[in-house]
Amino acid sequence: MSEPTRNRSRATLAVVAALALAAGIAPARAETDRNTPSFNLYGSPGLVDMPTAEVLPDGTLSATVGNFGNTTRTTLNFQITPRLSAAFRYSAIRDFNHPRSKPANDPEGIYYDRSFDMRFQLLTESPSRPSIVIGLQDFIGTGAYGGEYIVATKTVAPGLKLTGGLGWGRLGSYNPVATTGTRPATVLGQGGIPTYDRWFRGDMGVFGGVSYAPNDRLNFKVEYSSDDYTRERARGAHVKSSPWNFGLDYRFRNGGQVSLYHVLGEEVGAQFTIVTNPKTQGIPGGIESAGLPVAPRAPGAAQDLGWTSDATRGTAAKASLTELAAKDGLIIEGVRLEPTRATVRLLNPRYGAVSQAIGRTARAMTRALPASIEEFVIVPVVDGMPMSAVVMRRSDLERLEHEAADEMLARTSIVDAYGRAPRPDPGTYPKFEWSIAPYLQLSVFDPDNPVRADSGVRASAKVEITPNLILSGSVTKKVGGNLDTVTRRDKSNLPRVRTDQSLYSSQGDPAIEYLQFALYGRPAPNLYSRVTVGYLEQMYGGASAELLWKPVGSRLALGAEVNYVQRREFDQLFGFQDMVTTDPVTGIQREIPNFNGHVSAYYDIGNGFHGQLDVGRYLAGDYGATVTLDREFANGWKVGAYATFTDASFEDFGEGSFDKGIRVTIPLSPFLGTPSRKDNAINIQSLSRDGGARLNVRGRLYDKVRDYHEPEAVKSWGRFWR
């Protein structure tokens, strides 16, 4: 096998593996029937190459890999709302005679292309009308796959659907029937920005087709394509002799799809699609033992205060509560007992659903604490910071144990815990933990080699000196990889704050990934703080300070972070270097500023959507803002995207024009089979550049804090009695 072929295979397999994990080969089964939408070669609802007006169920996440002839497309598609969907696609076209498709390490020539799509359903299908969808294909990118369309699909009999549409751009290139204005052919800037100057302009073509599913497994498709594959044919990548394409789908019970195609009158293709829906996965849990039942008090027992004058009974009650909680994987660090109130300091290292940890602690309290204690106050603590105080009445627990969890929620208060947490018991700190595990570090979407990776062994350790003073770090030893072989040393008009990564990879073996002290605090009601000092990440050390304002019952939070950084030596040991970088093309030196930081606003929009806005100065000294939008599910899944715009021009930024990406967070408990707070976050970044780069400091406050506040706790309250 030639080296270029090995590179293609490695790239394809790595991208497929990442997207398969993002799609979450989940244990839940998807409901399929004869009218289930199928996926086309673009990884979107469609026939063979053309779109349909079918819409996937709300929340559907799919990963598709398709190949025909010299083209391979890998697509991640997400149904954002019931009517709106988006897709990110990475394509490789072999034997594509294009200057950028023939790097020195691959003389065969492969053209790699990134593209984004959006689709919106204008009208839903009814007995008297079809579904109508409007779509933008490759609307952020080089425009290689650029096209727009309006398409209608109607189910005319069980399993039988008719589709017809109008297309522009690529979808208007074969046998156009009309022209609507002039469509520019040049790429805007460096690519990666909306191609708004050509939407629904130029030649307009007609496409259509029919699909028939005789049952819920098979689906036959035929289409008339309006895509002439003009560029690919002109550059020798494809041959076309017919506009008619044919396809056959086989659907699995879990919603996946395997397809075979005959396209362009000349070529055959195949496709595989993985489908899951975080919305229907259920709240994460596992095969855990049932929680303790509530222990009701005997009549009149609540009047007995004799234990308050017997210290041994109070000590025994605390010990019993600690032991019962430990059986559920919870840690009671301290208990304050009063005649009618008990306040518990709780650590939850196990349950992703905060309400489940609260509910199990409360039930243990009914079994361990003296009968006169009527009010329970549970204070979850993270890194020494009291997050909130969950206040409930013991009599409500006794009365409502077999009722819906919402009944208990209506009688529970979640308030600020400032000054309310008991002190940790003597001997609780310091704590020490460590681990040794493999690691994989990826660099993706370099046009000369789309996937590079290093792998090796990582040793990590953490010492909690006090509840809120933590020393942590990790060391890596590389076993193999090729991150140090990056040859694209482009001209940059910004300091090289990220594009020197290959130097850190080649010289940092072994490497100190990070080594830092972090001090967390609660300086005032509604306020949380963090100060971090040390080697903060792979490339920078220094100091970082953060302050977060977050009322316990509010959907809004405001934060500020300021960082003083110093560039680390490339060997990633204990040394630092000056803050001046040299452009490898021009030799021009540019200085990295020591100070950067942001002010941030976070807002829970509702219906599972969460927004974040960060405004400030980035590592390269550019000023701007990052906008992030996530859709979050009660079971811990998150799917979102971000974009950063700064005062660095598109030309200074380079290829991609601005920083942007997609992120998927997958809770691990469904795969582990036991409750867990661990998750796997996958970031699909268009291309790492110097503009819009932010310090990768660990331990930022917002995600630590929000989990235990009222808006988040309420979302998973259904697990309170689990």
Side-chain angles (χ1 to χ4, degrees):
M1 183 183 290
S2 68
E3 181 60 28
T5 302
R6 282 195 295 269
N7 285 342
R8 289 199 302 270
S9 300
R10 181 172 60 245
T12 301
L13 288 174
V15 173
V16 170
L19 293 180
L21 184 58
I25 309 175
R29 288 171 53 166
E31 292 296 329
T32 60
D33 58 36
R34 297 173 66 179
N35 293 318
T36 298
S38 63
F39 295 84
N40 64 9
L41 279 164
Y42 283 95
S44 297
L47 293 164
V48 178
D49 218 25
M50 297 293 103
T52 63
E54 297 171 287
V55 176
L56 299 168
D58 182 32
T60 299
L61 182 66
S62 64
T64 298
V65 179
N67 177 268
F68 67 99
N70 284 331
T71 294
T72 299
R73 298 176 187 151
T74 304
T75 305
L76 183 67
N77 187 290
F78 181 54
Q79 192 69 36
I80 303 171
T81 70
R83 294 195 180 203
L84 178 67
S85 67
F88 170 74
R89 184 178 306 105
Y90 195 64
S91 305
I93 308 175
R94 296 177 294 280
D95 299 326
F96 190 76
N97 185 21
H98 186 279
R100 206 185 73 188
S101 68
K102 291 185 179 290
N105 67 341
D106 190 351
E108 294 181 25
I110 304 178
Y111 179 74
Y112 297 105
D113 184 79
R114 304 177 300 274
S115 56
F116 293 86
D117 299 354
M118 295 286 286
R119 290 165 48 99
F120 183 77
Q121 186 180 42
L122 296 174
L123 292 175
T124 59
E125 185 174 358
S126 73
S128 60
R129 70 166 184 249
S131 169
I132 298 179
V133 164
I134 184 170
L136 300 175
Q137 184 172 287
D138 192 9
F139 75 102
I140 298 180
T142 62
Y145 284 104
E148 304 80 50
Y149 57 87
I150 300 174
V151 61
T153 297
K154 184 73 173 74
T155 303
V156 295
L160 180 62
K161 303 174 185 177
L162 300 181
T163 292
L166 301 174
W168 291 260
R170 283 188 69 109
L171 303 184
S173 59
Y174 181 79
N175 195 22
V177 298
T179 300
T180 56
T182 302
R183 188 181 185 93
T186 57
V187 174
L188 293 175
Q190 297 285 333
I193 59 178
T195 54
Y196 54 83
D197 63 337
R198 64 198 69 184
W199 293 347
F200 301 98
R201 297 183 183 181
D203 291 341
M204 180 177 68
V206 176
F207 61 89
V210 58
S211 67
Y212 176 64
N215 53 51
D216 63 351
R217 293 289 171 264
L218 294 176
N219 187 38
F220 299 90
K221 303 184 289 189
V222 60
E223 71 177 16
Y224 177 86
S225 171
S226 59
D227 187 346
D228 200 31
Y229 278 76
T230 306
R231 292 183 181 180
E232 291 89 341
R233 292 192 299 106
R235 291 171 175 153
H238 284 291
V239 176
K240 179 179 178 178
S241 61
S242 173
W244 293 97
N245 299 327
F246 304 89
L248 169 64
D249 303 328
Y250 179 82
R251 298 163 176 160
F252 297 97
R253 292 190 180 278
N254 64 1
Q257 174 184 310
V258 172
S259 303
L260 297 176
Y261 301 115
H262 184 268
V263 295
L264 307 179
E266 300 284 339
E267 299 174 342
V268 295
Q271 179 172 284
F272 178 63
T273 302
I274 298 168
V275 180
T276 192
N277 193 326
K279 185 177 180 180
T280 62
Q281 290 299 318
I283 296 176
I287 308 173
E288 72 265 30
S289 59
L292 293 168
V294 172
R297 294 168 290 184
Q303 307 305 316
D304 182 9
L305 295 174
W307 67 272
T308 59
S309 59
D310 185 349
T312 60
R313 290 178 63 183
T315 301
K318 294 178 183 179
S320 176
L321 176 58
T322 300
E323 181 180 352
L324 290 174
K327 293 179 179 179
D328 282 332
L330 300 167
I331 300 172
I332 304 297
E333 286 196 332
V335 180
R336 182 169 60 242
L337 297 181
E338 302 171 71
T340 60
R341 178 192 296 123
T343 306
V344 171
R345 181 187 182 100
L346 173 68
L347 292 188
N348 171 30
R350 186 177 187 187
Y351 298 97
V354 169
S355 60
Q356 189 171 6
I358 298 298
R360 292 197 170 210
T361 302
R363 296 198 296 278
M365 292 171 74
T366 68
R367 306 184 73 84
L369 300 183
S372 68
I373 295 178
E374 168 65 11
E375 184 177 86
F376 292 170
V377 182
I378 300 172
V379 182
V381 175
V382 178
D383 291 334
M385 297 180 292
M387 295 287 107
S388 60
V390 184
V391 184
M392 61 191 73
R393 294 172 59 86
R394 187 175 190 164
S395 55
D396 290 333
L397 289 164
E398 295 170 333
R399 182 168 52 89
L400 299 173
E401 181 181 13
H402 302 294
E403 302 296 329
D406 287 348
E407 295 291 333
M408 192 65 213
L409 176 61
R411 293 161 177 79
T412 299
S413 298
I414 303 177
V415 298
D416 192 357
Y418 178 76
R420 301 191 66 163
R423 299 180 65 85
D425 293 334
T428 303
Y429 291 90
K431 296 180 180 179
F432 174 73
E433 61 182 60
W434 62 277
S435 66
I436 297 178
Y439 79 90
L440 177 67
Q441 184 179 1
L442 288 173
S443 175
V444 296
F445 304 133
D446 182 334
D448 289 350
N449 193 347
V451 177
R452 287 185 170 91
D454 281 350
S455 61
V457 179
R458 173 185 289 120
S460 303
K462 180 172 73 171
V463 181
E464 298 178 64
I465 301 169
T466 68
N468 60 338
L469 178 60
I470 301 169
L471 171 64
S472 61
S474 67
V475 177
T476 59
K477 172 60 183 172
K478 184 165 67 173
V479 174
N482 62 344
L483 283 180
D484 56 352
T485 64
V486 177
T487 58
R488 299 184 79 240
R489 306 280 285 172
D490 295 354
K491 175 184 176 181
S492 174
N493 293 324
L494 295 169
R496 299 183 66 83
V497 295
R498 289 300 183 202
T499 48
D500 279 339
Q501 181 182 356
S502 61
L503 299 176
Y504 286 90
S505 177
S506 62
Q507 299 183 37
D509 185 27
I512 300 172
E513 277 192 309
Y514 75 102
L515 181 62
Q516 64 182 35
F517 282 97
L519 177 66
Y520 298 92
R522 289 293 314 267
N526 302 325
L527 289 179
Y528 303 80
S529 65
R530 172 187 57 82
V531 177
T532 308
V533 179
Y535 301 93
L536 304 176
E537 53 144 285
Q538 180 188 37
M539 300 184 187
Y540 298 94
S544 174
E546 181 185 7
L547 187 67
L548 178 74
W549 173 84
K550 174 68 171 70
V552 73
S554 174
R555 293 183 174 187
L556 174 69
L558 301 174
E561 176 182 295
V562 61
N563 308 304
Y564 175 87
V565 298
Q566 189 70 32
R567 197 169 178 230
R568 296 180 62 183
E569 290 284 2
F570 294 130
D571 61 13
Q572 295 176 70
L573 296 178
F574 294 101
F576 290 97
Q577 56 181 307
D578 60 40
M579 297 288 281
V580 176
T581 67
T582 303
D583 188 286
V585 177
T586 64
I588 296 176
Q589 292 188 329
R590 294 183 174 86
E591 186 173 355
I592 303 173
N594 291 107
F595 287 96
N596 60 77
H598 291 76
V599 292
S600 303
Y602 314 84
Y603 190 71
D604 186 343
I605 300 169
N607 296 320
F609 288 93
H610 191 277
Q612 179 176 335
L613 175 66
D614 303 293
V615 180
R617 191 186 201 191
Y618 294 82
L619 280 169
D622 48 333
Y623 291 88
T626 298
V627 180
T628 304
L629 181 66
D630 292 295
R631 184 168 183 188
E632 305 175 345
F633 300 89
N635 53 23
W637 283 75
K638 300 178 185 178
V639 182
Y642 71 90
T644 298
F645 302 91
T646 74
D647 58 0
S649 68
F650 292 157
E651 290 74 19
D652 287 346
F653 184 91
E655 184 177 349
S657 299
F658 63 95
D659 188 35
K660 52 195 170 295
I662 299 168
R663 59 190 191 182
V664 180
T665 300
I666 305 170
L668 296 185
S669 58
F671 304 93
L672 298 175
T674 59
S676 174
R677 290 188 61 79
K678 296 180 179 179
D679 56 38
N680 188 17
I682 301 172
N683 292 315
I684 304 174
Q685 189 176 18
S686 179
L687 193 67
S688 278
R689 307 293 296 181
D690 297 313
R694 194 171 179 184
L695 184 69
N696 295 326
V697 64
R698 290 166 171 79
R700 287 192 167 107
L701 293 171
Y702 181 66
D703 285 335
K704 293 176 180 290
V705 172
R706 66 178 293 216
D707 279 355
Y708 292 92
H709 280 194
E710 183 176 354
E712 288 300 308
V714 167
K715 293 176 184 178
S716 66
W717 197 263
R719 290 192 70 86
F720 180 84
W721 294 119
R722 288 292 301 272

